[in-house]
Structure formats: C-alpha cells, structure tokens
Amino acid sequence: MASGPASAFTGPDAPDLDALRKCVHCGICLPQCPTYHVLGEEMDSPRGRLYLMRAAAEGRIALTETLGQHVDRCLGCRACETACPSGVPFGQLLEATRAQIERHGTPAHRGLLTSFLYRVFPNPARLGTLLGPLRLYQRSGLRRLVRVSGVLRLFPRLAAMEAMLPDLPRGVELPELTGARGTRRGRVGLLTGCVQRHLYPHVNRDTVRLLSVAGYDVVVPRGQGCCGALALHAGRLEEFRGQASALAASLGGEVDWIVTNAAGCGSAMKEYGHWLPDVPAAQALAARTRDVSELLAGAHLPLGRLDATVTYHDACHLAHGQRIRTQPRDLLRRIPGLKLVELMDSDLCCGSAGVYNVLEPGMADALLERKVARILESGASIVASGNPGCLLQIQKGLRARGAAIEVVHPVDLLARALTERA
Amino acid sequence: MALTRKFVDELRAIVGKDGLIVSDEGRLVYECDMHTFYKGLPDAVVLPATSAQVQAIARACRREKIPIVPRGSGTGLIGGAMAARGGVMVGLNRMNAILEVDLPNRCATVQPGLINLWLTNAVRERGWFFAPDPSSQMVSSIGGNVSTNAGGPHCLKYGITTNHVLGLELVTGSGELVQLGGVVADRPGYDLVGAAVGAEGTFGLVTAVTVRMLHAPEAVKTALASFTSMEAAAEAVSAIIAAGMLPAALEMLDSVMIGAINAGVGAGYPEGAAAVLLIELDGPNAEVEAQAVRAAAICRERGALAVRVARDDAERALLWKGRKEAAGAVGRLAPTYLLQDAVVPRSKLPLIMRQMEEIARRHGVLIANVFHAGDGNLHPLICYDDRSAEELARAKLANEELLEAAIALGGSVTGEHGIGLDKAKNLPLQYADADLNFMYRLRGVFDPDRVMNPDKLLPAHPACGEGFRPQRPVVPAGAWV
Ligand code: SF4
Ligand code: SF4
C-alpha cells in the first residue's frame, strides 16, 4: 500500500503500526479485559481498541470523539498484554494513542477536573497542601455533614474522590539513610511515591525497616518528585518526560537498586527505557528499578507468628505491568500462622487504575463491586495488595459494604511479623 | 444497505439503548472475526439479553428482508461472523449465563454466549468437564462452537461438538422459537439437533444449548516426543493408533510453530527438533501408565530424539497453553496468515507433509504447522504480509494447491472450522449437485426469506447471487467425505 489514505496519527511518538499489526485478532485477550467483562462490546475490548487504533493509523478513521471514549474507558491495566500470545505491546500503544488524542484537543467530557487531578496528584508538595485541609475536614465532623447532606450526589466525580479518602494519617519522617543490619547485601534508594507518602506513610517506614533487616542500606533522597506514571497513562508525554528526567536525576545516586512499593510507579519507571531512549540516567534508572517484593523475596527475614487468613489482590501494574505474581505471595506464605487463600479473579482490575476511578466512576464502581464480592467470598479477614491506588479503592468498596476486612500492603504484614526490632 | 431511522428505532426499542451499536467506530470493529481477510460492515450491531429479544429482532429483520448475522466471541476462522451484505449483526456474547447444571443427568443448559472453558471451570471441582475443546476454548462461545460444529485436540477420543449437544433452543429465520432435542437422549422423530449443529447461523440464532457433561478421567498423562522430520512423527502417529491405542489427543507441531510458541507463550517446547508430537493419554490410572510406556517405546522405535512426560499439572497446563495459543503466537512470525483446515486420511499424513514442503518451496512462503495428527486434520498457517499484494497472491496459490492436494488424497475441505464464506466455494469439490440443492432447500425450511447469514456455508449462484449453482465439476474419485 504505497499511497493509502493519510494516517490520523501525526508527529513524534505516533503509535507504531508494526506493533499494531502484531495483533492477529485471535481474541484470547477478551475474557481478561475488565471493560469487556462489564460492557460486552467489541470496541471496549483490547482487540477492538487495537482495531480502532490500527484503523486510525491506516487512515480509515479520524481521531473522533467516539474513538476517544473507547480509548479513555480503557483502564490501562494491561491484562490483555499478559494474555496475548502474539506479544502486542498494548500499554505502549495505548499511551501513544492517548498522546495523539491529547495533542489533537482534550476530549470535552473531561476538562477542568482532569487537569486539576493531573496537577495535584503527581506533585507531592501540592498533594500534601491539599490533604492538610482534608485532614481538618475529616476531623471536624464536616465529612459526616457533607455525606449526610447528599451534596456529593450532585457531583459524582467529586463523590468518587471523597469516598476514596481513607482517614488520613499523620506524616512520617524517614531518615535520609538507614543502615543495613546483618549481612550487607547492597544499597538501595527508595521512591517514596506521591500517594504512598501521604496516605500510607507507614508503608514507606515499614519498607525501610524490612529492607534494612534484609541487609540493605536504604537511602531516601530528599526532594524527589513524581515518577510521571499518571501523566504517561494520560498521554501527557511531555509532562511525563520532564518528571521522569527529574526523578532520574534525583534518585540516580550511588545505589544498586531503586525500590518502589507502589506498583504503578515501578511499572512506569521500568518503561523509561522505551520512552526516554536518549536520556542515559532514565535508562539506568529503569534497569535498576525493583518492586520491594522482588528484593525481599531473595532475602532472609526473621518472621514471627501472625495468625490471620489473608487473601492477595494482584495489582495490575505488578501482575501485568511487571509480571510479578509469585514473590508477594511467597513472602506472605513465609509468615508462620498466616493462611493465604486465593482470591478468584485476583488479577482482574479493581477499578482504581490511577485516577480512572475519578474520571470513569461508573465503570470503576462496577469493577469494584465484583472485586468486593470476590473478597467477601474468599473468607479472608485481611486483603493484601501492592499498590496504594488499589488499597484506596478496595478500602472504599469494603467500607461501603460495611465489611470489617482490613486492607493492607504486604509490606505491612511482613513488618508486623518481623521479630527483629529496628 | 442503510437502515431506515424507523427500523433503527425499532431495534433500540427491542434491545435498549445499551444494546444497540450504530456508530461508525462501533460497527467497524465488528466488520470481521478472527478471519480478518473477509470484511463486511454491519449496518447495526445489537447485543440482546434474552431469547425474546432475539426473536423480536429476527421477526423485524424478516419483515424488512434485512440480513441477520449471528456472532459469538468473534474467533471464527472461516469468515462466518461477518456481514457479507450488511444488515444486522446479532452479538450473543452478553447472553452468557449457565442456566442449569444437572449432573445426575449428565447435562447442563447454557446460553450461547457462554465461553466454552467457563463451563468446565464451573464444574471442574466436582470432577466433571465439557469435552469439546477447540483451541480457542478460553474465548470462543459455546453457541459459536455449536454453529461451526467445532472440533479440538481431544475430539480424537471424545468426538466433535455435535456428539455433545442434546438440545437447542433456536430462533429460526422465520422468527419462530423452537426447541430441538432435549435432555432425554432418545427422542422420537427427526434428529433436528444433528441438522442444526454446524448450520453456521443459516437456520437461525441459537439461544440456549443443552450439552452433555462428562466425568473427568481418573488419570491424565501428557508426553512430548521430538523427531528429526515431520514424516517420522507422522509415522509414529499411525503406529500408535495401529497398536490399538486411542489417545485423548495426538497433536503435531513443526519447528516453525515451536519457535513461535516458545517465544509467545514460553511453553518450553524442545527447540531444534523438526517435529514435536504432543500425546495425551487419559483413563483409569493403570491403563494410562501402561499405554504411556508403550507410546514412548513406539516413538523411540520411529527415531524420536527424546520423549518427555509432563511432571505435574502445571507443566501439562503449560504445554497445552502453548498448543492452544499457537494461532495467536504466529503473530510473532508474520502479521497475517491464511489458515487451512483440510483433512487427509491419517495414513496419508507423511505424504501430504512432503507435498506441503514442496508447495511451500515452490511459492516461497513460510508455513507454520500445528495439527490434529490423530485424525489427519491439517492446520497449516501460510504466512504473508498483507501490505504486499504479491505475497498475498503467492499465499493464496499455495493455499489452493494444498487444498487440492488434500482432496486428491481422499481428504475433505474442512475438518473443524466450518465453511463460512471462505470454503463455500470449495464445497462443490466434495458434494454432488443433488446434495447441495437439497441442503439449500433444507435451509429454506428454517429461513424462508433467506435473511440468515447470507453467502455462508452454501456456494452462491453466479447469476442470482444466492442458492446453489446447478453445474459443477465431478467429485474426485475416492473422495473421503
Ligand atoms: S490476544 Fe493479542 S493478538 Fe490476540 S486479539 Fe488480543 S491483542 Fe490481538
Ligand atoms: S489495558 Fe485492561 S482495560 Fe485496557 S484493553 Fe487491556 S485489558 Fe482491557
């Protein structure tokens, strides 16, 4: 096809046609796709989305509003990538397509809220400033008033956001350097993460403790920014590249590994190589990034008894984004007394997906409902998951059902079982 | 054929706003199934939730003489679920409930959109399974399996879909809702289930299926034998069957396919072998053990490089995952391929393998092979790049020659994928005029106004564009039907 119609994709970072053509339309990915589960429509399946992207690339269709909707509705969970035998890099194609849509004008149905979210979340300082008043709001009893008055029902997206907030903890200051205990295995830098730092600061504290017991010197570089995951998933590539370069500069010190305990961050950081091929520091960072479970899996941890029935939810950006499934489970199983029960459809997205739950509350709620039902069936009293977004989302779902099931990061349980005190 | 606004409103009234797709983008993704070679844009797609809605759709379309194209998961390989003449595509994937599991009577009734594997998943813990296992079973729908009379690796021992369907609820092209067959095995009168299974939506739309459920065998053993040539592997297949064994599955893969599967699925198939035989034995423990020893000995006698038995369920599952996702994994070799489904008498396997190599060489095409060796059902995937018209032409030539070679050896045009748009033109190679004309009239009983899935299954008349062509070439001597 020498002179076919012009592609709807233009400029740099256009989705790679050869990658799109790898899709042989077999449909194996369909049953794994959360949006296909809920909607049962081909355009909201991975195969359908790829078909639309390819049609746009081949100039058969333009970047229409309708195409944008189907692309927006994708959670970016990458379950389709895990399923695909043909090796279609769905995540990268999705992000590149979103960048095209972003470039050709923001879809009308988003607007202010979106840019507000993308400005606040990735900026630890701004997020902190915003959370200050929220803490006040929670403590003052205003929260009950607002909930009771039903004001939020008028603004479903604000409601989605409000319901997500757990009770805010007080911040935790981490030392810049914590020395290794026992046999020294190396030196790691910790990414504290925008959401983790403010909503689950104890997870960072526990991560430091566990890594130190495991034999690592843990450095927590000051002034680290955001990994850029949210911008990347939204197709805001310029913003993403800026954040990624800055992070690579601030975390790039003398360490063997960069550790994250937030699946979304780790997954994005491991993709730096693809998106910033000309930035050596970013390449290096990508190669050295590890999820906390990867490092702990190979270390000795002195663990005491913890009697509990626990189930594990696979965060998409661990299971699909980083292919990490066994390490967190194996770690939990190492805790004496802890009974790990499998969760049905454990790797089906909970609907959190970054800020998706705020942008597409209907779909997010439908997925959350399924997730909560499976958790209740599992009979566990604790559900563990390696991503703060999932923790927030699942907590919200369980609270709405009035279920007394604890939602924690696996690191949290490991730290509770740790017999050696820091 | 654009639909009138009034008709679209009528469809919307039947299935609701969420069940109707008329946007350009929405219709576009429904223009083909897994056979992307044939494309046809439907004028509307409806996603009904109940049999009553399906019936209302069928009646409305019949009244207006608008084509109806049924679709399940869109994994067909014959261009069956594509709107050759536009019209209304009816996606049955939302009707995916298990209506009843009746294990004491060894059956279950399900809606047509239920994914094949989900039925087995629902009863596995109780020790049961649903036998038909097309390679697409993790996504294809039972309604689609019924419509194409799908086979699968295990049909060597267990039979194809039609052997497992007891009853059907069908909305015919005439708009009637009829029950064919039922739970009780011996029903008086015509075996209409037998006629409707494999009808590819030309009789109507299947809205419920009652299927046979089977007890899972006590033991299962899966072994891999690697060979230095396809012929040696093919001879081992014949020897195993000649020794009186009936394995649950006997699958063969060539080196091209092994490479793709290992890359795509990480299944750990032995690299470097020219052919691999996947042998599965099931049944009572003692019998399986004894047969495994014999099958391995036979493979070694035929020059097997190695015979390896899967150590546990996980390894077994991985071997099968590799086999079942083979067609998807070929995407790693080429963006597009033609997938042939011809059958040869099993004894002719070594011969056809030789001919295939020759055909591939002559046309300069890459052919990946994976097939049901036990019943001689070939699945050569002829790779080509669809951006090159010349490559496509060569692939098509190789494809046709292969088919002719298979028929000349006494084979059949299709084993298990069905006929669809792809093979309708080849049917006169295999059936006499009178047979085809009779089938055409039978179709008219279910679908008097010819709205159901036009252009599929039966060859078209060159003049009026439908029905069967009255003159045809002679059936080759000794055709194996
Ligand atoms: S599994 Fe891969 S090749 Fe198959 S339809 Fe999905 S994306 Fe395409
Ligand atoms: S990323 Fe997730 S939601 Fe998006 S198409 Fe793939 S499986 Fe579906």
Side-chain angles (χ1 to χ4, degrees):
Chain A
M1 267 181 269
S3 60
S7 169
F9 298 144
T10 54
D13 298 318
D16 178 14
L17 184 58
D18 284 331
L20 285 168
R21 289 162 50 85
K22 280 188 110 151
C23 173
V24 294
H25 224 244
C26 68
I28 287 176
C29 51
L30 261 59
Q32 312 305 325
C33 173
T35 57
Y36 183 73
H37 259 264
V38 173
L39 297 171
E41 294 175 350
E42 184 77 16
M43 337 51 108
D44 285 305
S45 78
R47 182 174 64 177
R49 290 186 176 116
L50 288 163
Y51 205 77
L52 289 175
M53 292 179 204
R54 180 165 167 183
E58 290 175 343
R60 294 182 70 197
I61 54 170
L63 295 183
T64 58
E65 180 90 23
T66 311
L67 177 134
Q69 273 168 20
H70 298 307
V71 171
D72 275 353
R73 215 175 271 154
C74 171
L75 295 141
C77 69
R78 294 167 65 185
C80 46
E81 241 178 80
T82 301
C84 178
S86 188
V88 175
F90 187 90
Q92 291 169 1
L93 289 166
L94 173 75
E95 281 144 10
T97 303
R98 285 188 171 158
Q100 294 285 325
I101 294 172
E102 185 72 21
R103 193 177 301 158
H104 293 90
T106 315
H109 70 284
R110 286 181 163 186
L112 275 180
L113 179 70
T114 317
S115 59
F116 168 74
L117 286 173
Y118 286 119
R119 266 170 228 289
V120 170
F121 268 80
N123 184 319
R126 273 190 217 144
L127 189 59
T129 325
L130 176 78
L131 292 176
L134 273 173
R135 194 171 291 144
L136 203 69
Y137 151 86
Q138 286 185 345
R139 303 238 154 100
S140 68
L142 203 61
R143 177 183 212 158
R144 264 197 47 230
L145 198 69
V146 170
R147 283 188 179 173
V148 170
S149 72
V151 175
L152 291 168
R153 233 175 300 138
L154 299 174
F155 307 101
R157 287 172 186 178
L158 272 184
M161 217 174 144
E162 199 276 346
M164 251 168 33
L165 287 173
D167 292 327
L168 289 174
R170 305 221 174 260
V172 173
E173 270 303 312
L174 295 174
E176 226 170 320
L177 173 73
T178 307
R181 302 161 70 96
T183 333
R184 195 172 166 281
R185 301 172 71 94
R187 187 178 170 92
V188 301
L190 178 71
L191 177 91
T192 49
C194 312
V195 176
Q196 198 79 286
R197 176 183 325 179
H198 289 289
L199 296 181
Y200 301 104
H202 66 283
V203 173
N204 279 338
R205 188 194 58 214
D206 292 341
T207 301
V208 171
R209 213 178 120 212
L210 283 159
L211 285 168
S212 150
V213 171
Y216 292 98
D217 292 329
V218 187
V219 188
V220 182
R222 296 284 181 251
Q224 48 177 289
C226 172
C227 67
L230 289 181
L232 173 62
H233 301 326
R236 299 169 163 237
L237 293 181
E238 218 166 291
E239 214 169 302
F240 160 69
R241 287 196 172 106
Q243 288 167 339
S245 306
L247 186 71
S250 66
L251 279 186
E254 293 285 294
V255 293
D256 302 310
W257 308 111
I258 307 289
V259 178
T260 88
N261 49 29
C265 306
S267 167
M269 287 156 69
K270 288 179 178 179
E271 301 273 313
Y272 281 6
H274 173 79
W275 293 106
L276 295 107
D278 308 325
V279 183
Q283 298 266 341
L285 181 80
R288 277 183 297 166
T289 298
R290 292 291 178 276
D291 185 71
V292 58
S293 64
E294 288 179 277
L295 285 194
L296 293 181
H300 170 74
L301 296 171
L303 297 171
R305 224 180 149 73
L306 188 75
D307 288 299
T309 305
V310 178
T311 194
Y312 177 77
H313 158 72
D314 281 289
C316 297
H317 286 103
L318 267 188
H320 305 304
Q322 304 181 58
R323 310 277 155 114
I324 295 174
R325 288 166 185 265
T326 50
Q327 297 91 327
R329 288 181 169 85
D330 290 347
L331 280 167
L332 290 174
R333 279 200 202 94
R334 269 156 68 178
I335 300 176
L338 187 149
K339 185 169 161 234
L340 187 68
V341 292
E342 271 305 326
L343 180 65
M344 248 249 282
D345 296 332
S346 67
D347 62 353
L348 191 73
C349 181
C350 64
S352 161
V355 292
Y356 183 93
N357 43 11
V358 185
L359 298 173
E360 302 274 348
M363 174 65 65
D365 282 348
L367 290 170
L368 180 56
E369 215 170 281
R370 286 163 196 233
K371 185 57 69 182
V372 166
R374 297 287 98 82
I375 292 172
L376 294 176
E377 280 164 24
S378 77
S381 59
I382 300 178
V383 48
S385 187
N387 194 45
C390 304
L391 299 182
L392 272 175
Q393 173 82 345
I394 293 173
Q395 235 161 13
K396 165 189 143 182
L398 288 170
R399 189 169 56 206
R401 288 285 291 267
I405 296 178
E406 219 187 329
V407 187
V408 300
H409 196 290
V411 151
D412 188 325
L413 295 177
L414 289 167
R416 281 186 218 176
L418 209 56
T419 48
E420 186 172 336
R421 297 290 152 207
Chain B
M1 178 202 303
L3 304 176
T4 62
R5 173 175 297 232
K6 192 159 159 270
F7 187 73
V8 172
D9 288 344
E10 185 175 354
L11 290 177
R12 190 180 295 111
I14 295 169
V15 291
K17 181 162 87 12
D18 292 338
L20 175 72
I21 298 165
V22 285
S23 72
D24 290 346
E25 297 84 348
R27 292 182 301 122
L28 184 72
V29 298
Y30 284 95
E31 72 176 358
C32 61
D33 52 21
M34 188 176 171
H35 199 308
T36 55
F37 187 73
Y38 298 110
K39 296 182 169 71
L41 207 59
D43 295 300
V45 181
V46 287
L47 304 169
T50 64
S51 302
Q53 288 180 3
V54 175
Q55 190 178 17
I57 295 162
R59 286 186 169 161
C61 287
R62 181 186 179 193
R63 191 190 67 227
E64 304 291 330
K65 307 271 187 294
I66 291 170
I68 301 175
V69 183
R71 186 183 194 267
S73 295
T75 56
L77 295 161
I78 46 161
M82 52 75 74
R85 301 190 195 185
V88 175
M89 181 169 274
V90 184
L92 292 153
N93 58 302
R94 283 186 182 171
M95 289 174 62
N96 64 355
I98 297 177
L99 299 173
E100 195 192 357
V101 175
D102 180 4
L103 295 178
N105 289 307
R106 302 201 303 138
C107 66
T109 301
V110 305
Q111 287 188 314
L114 180 72
I115 290 177
N116 174 308
L117 191 60
W118 293 12
L119 180 55
T120 292
N121 286 349
V123 293
R124 182 179 286 122
E125 281 192 356
R126 286 177 269 175
W128 292 76
F129 77 114
F130 175 55
D133 67 333
S135 294
S136 59
Q137 73 176 139
M138 70 298 256
V139 49
S140 63
S141 68
I142 290 182
N145 298 162
V146 167
S147 293
T148 53
N149 193 9
H154 289 81
C155 68
L156 175 62
K157 177 170 183 175
Y158 290 99
I160 51 182
T161 302
T162 192
N163 304 117
H164 299 270
V165 178
L166 300 171
L168 291 175
E169 181 184 90
L170 184 77
V171 171
T172 65
S174 59
E176 292 158 275
L177 185 110
V178 295
Q179 306 287 339
L180 313 178
V183 176
V184 183
D186 304 309
R187 298 185 69 92
Y190 302 115
D191 176 15
L192 294 178
V193 173
V197 172
E200 298 182 8
T202 60
F203 284 3
L205 299 125
V206 172
T207 49
V209 191
T210 301
V211 296
R212 171 66 72 219
M213 301 304 294
L214 297 182
H215 251 305
E218 185 190 1
V220 186
K221 238 185 175 39
T222 308
L224 266 189
S226 46
F227 295 85
T228 50
S229 74
M230 291 289 276
E231 281 178 72
E235 274 162 19
V237 169
S238 290
I240 289 172
I241 307 248
M245 283 182 260
L246 185 56
L250 258 180
E251 300 283 301
M252 197 152 121
L253 304 92
D254 70 2
S255 59
V256 180
M257 190 49 101
I258 292 165
I261 289 178
N262 282 344
V265 188
Y269 277 54
E271 303 250 11
V276 161
L277 211 54
L278 184 65
I279 307 164
E280 183 153 288
L281 299 156
D282 70 3
N285 233 326
E287 186 186 314
V288 168
E289 289 294 335
Q291 288 198 347
V293 173
R294 278 180 67 201
I298 290 175
C299 288
R300 287 199 194 91
E301 278 162 27
R302 310 277 147 174
L305 294 170
V307 182
R308 184 178 111 207
V309 179
R311 281 175 306 255
D312 51 25
D313 280 353
E315 191 178 345
R316 236 195 95 225
L318 190 61
L319 289 177
W320 276 111
K321 183 171 156 62
R323 164 60 190 92
K324 298 223 158 171
E325 297 183 1
V330 169
R332 293 179 182 261
L333 303 175
T336 25
Y337 52 77
L338 298 175
L339 173 51
Q340 186 57 262
D341 178 38
V343 184
V344 294
R346 198 187 46 250
S347 60
K348 298 283 174 27
L349 269 180
L351 193 57
I352 192 81
M353 290 327 306
R354 261 201 305 276
Q355 295 184 354
M356 193 184 311
E357 270 171 36
E358 169 53 29
I359 291 171
R361 198 169 26 244
R362 194 147 20 89
H363 295 286
V365 290
L366 179 69
I367 301 185
N369 263 295
V370 52
F371 57 90
H372 310 313
D375 39 24
N377 189 183
L378 309 173
H379 288 134
L381 293 98
I382 307 167
C383 301
Y384 69 98
D385 187 327
D386 60 347
R387 282 170 295 196
S388 157
E390 190 268 326
E391 256 189 57
L392 170 63
R394 277 192 281 134
K396 278 170 107 171
L397 269 180
N399 192 31
E400 291 301 320
E401 274 181 35
L402 246 170
L403 193 67
E404 279 160 26
I407 303 266
L409 290 175
S412 162
V413 297
T414 172
E416 57 178 14
H417 297 168
I419 299 158
L421 190 68
D422 191 34
K423 302 255 166 49
K425 59 183 180 302
N426 304 120
L427 228 50
L429 289 174
Q430 210 175 328
Y431 288 116
D433 283 3
D435 304 342
L436 285 171
N437 281 327
F438 187 76
M439 288 190 217
Y440 184 68
R441 290 210 306 282
L442 176 64
R443 180 171 176 166
V445 172
F446 287 86
D447 177 28
D449 288 304
R450 314 275 170 191
V451 290
M452 288 306 312
N453 214 4
D455 296 349
K456 314 293 167 57
L457 201 144
L458 289 175
H461 190 288
C464 59
E466 62 173 350
F468 166 60
R469 163 177 39 172
Q471 299 145 19
R472 42 167 294 284
V474 188
V475 184
W480 190 71
V481 182

